[in-house]
Amino acid sequence: MEMHNGNLYWPTTESEQIVLQKPIKKERYDVLVIGAGMSGTLTAYTLHKDGVDFAVIDQGKVGAGSTAANTGLIQYSNDIMLHELAEQIGEDDAVRFYKLCAEAVDTLDEVAGTVDAKDVYIRRDSLCFASSEADVSKLKREYEMLTKHGLAAEWLDREALQERYPFDKPAGLITNGDAEVNPLTLSRQIVRYLSNPKRPHL
């Protein structure tokens, strides 16, 4: 199945291609991970950390599927704003979901450090701005909900936004503690880490 087309950026950052060796033949594994992209390799890393017996298989090169077309943008915020999600599923569950996402961003930071990929996992702040005056109240409500529950965020009115950015918008919301990542390199570094003779899983 063709996962993407056109010219992709991430493959230009990696000259080495990695193909997984066939797993050691055994009567059974506790878990079989299918696919060695970002999701599969992170799953393998977690299974290894938890002491689970697993194997990873992939018909192609590591990270050559959807991972190669990943945006590399890591945010704890979801497509649905926290205050809107709270209206859908309740505030407690919505906040728990957001906090788990924030925790996951930190965990990815730790993984990157462990597998020697710290240089491709960079912590960033994210900016969401109001396109019109009509959007300001919605953005302000989101800011209030985030800070109410201890999620790192910063409010910028028009003047503060203009001081920090070269454009004019009614207001902005900065979420702190997000990140950018080269997903292809991170995936391959995880494979290299797990392929170490001391960790003969891959």
Side-chain angles (χ1 to χ4, degrees):
M1 179 174 65
E2 186 176 356
M3 301 294 293
H4 45 68
N5 55 41
N7 297 318
L8 303 177
Y9 174 69
W10 299 125
T12 68
T13 67
E14 285 272 324
S15 57
E16 181 184 1
Q17 301 291 332
I18 300 179
V19 178
L20 292 181
Q21 297 179 352
K22 291 183 179 180
I24 298 172
K25 287 187 178 181
K26 296 174 58 174
E27 185 174 331
R28 63 166 289 153
Y29 284 95
D30 292 330
V31 177
L32 176 64
V33 180
I34 301 175
M38 192 167 182
S39 296
T41 55
L42 284 169
T43 299
Y45 176 91
T46 303
L47 292 171
H48 165 72
K49 186 177 179 182
D50 291 344
V52 178
D53 188 25
F54 68 92
V56 183
I57 59 174
D58 194 308
Q59 67 175 354
K61 299 179 180 67
V62 173
S66 59
T67 293
N70 190 301
T71 64
L73 180 64
I74 308 292
Q75 296 177 295
Y76 77 74
S77 296
N78 197 257
D79 292 339
I80 302 175
M81 286 187 167
L82 176 57
H83 73 273
E84 294 176 325
L85 186 61
E87 293 174 355
Q88 295 181 17
I89 66 173
E91 189 166 328
D92 289 345
D93 288 340
V95 170
R96 180 173 183 272
F97 171 69
Y98 260 63
K99 287 191 173 182
L100 286 172
C101 289
E103 182 181 320
V105 179
D106 292 336
T107 299
L108 280 172
D109 198 340
E110 296 172 7
V111 173
T114 301
V115 303
D116 196 24
K118 196 70 173 178
D119 58 331
V120 299
Y121 191 86
I122 304 167
R123 300 308 290 262
R124 302 287 191 193
D125 294 335
S126 298
L127 170 67
C128 178
F129 59 75
S131 298
S132 67
E133 291 290 348
D135 300 320
V136 174
S137 60
K138 179 179 179 180
L139 204 60
K140 189 63 177 289
R141 186 178 177 190
E142 182 66 4
Y143 165 73
E144 291 170 349
M145 179 69 89
L146 291 171
T147 54
K148 172 186 175 181
H149 293 285
L151 290 159
E154 182 180 355
W155 178 257
L156 299 177
D157 58 19
R158 183 185 292 272
E159 182 178 346
L161 193 63
Q162 285 182 314
E163 288 178 358
R164 294 174 61 171
Y165 298 97
F167 51 78
D168 179 24
K169 294 294 178 181
L173 170 63
I174 293 178
T175 51
N176 309 117
D178 293 332
E180 67 172 78
V181 66
N182 180 329
L184 184 58
T185 297
L186 178 58
S187 298
R188 292 179 178 177
Q189 283 298 104
I190 292 173
V191 169
R192 293 181 183 108
Y193 174 82
L194 294 176
S195 298
N196 186 297
K198 296 180 181 178
R199 294 174 289 272
H201 286 291
L202 301 180

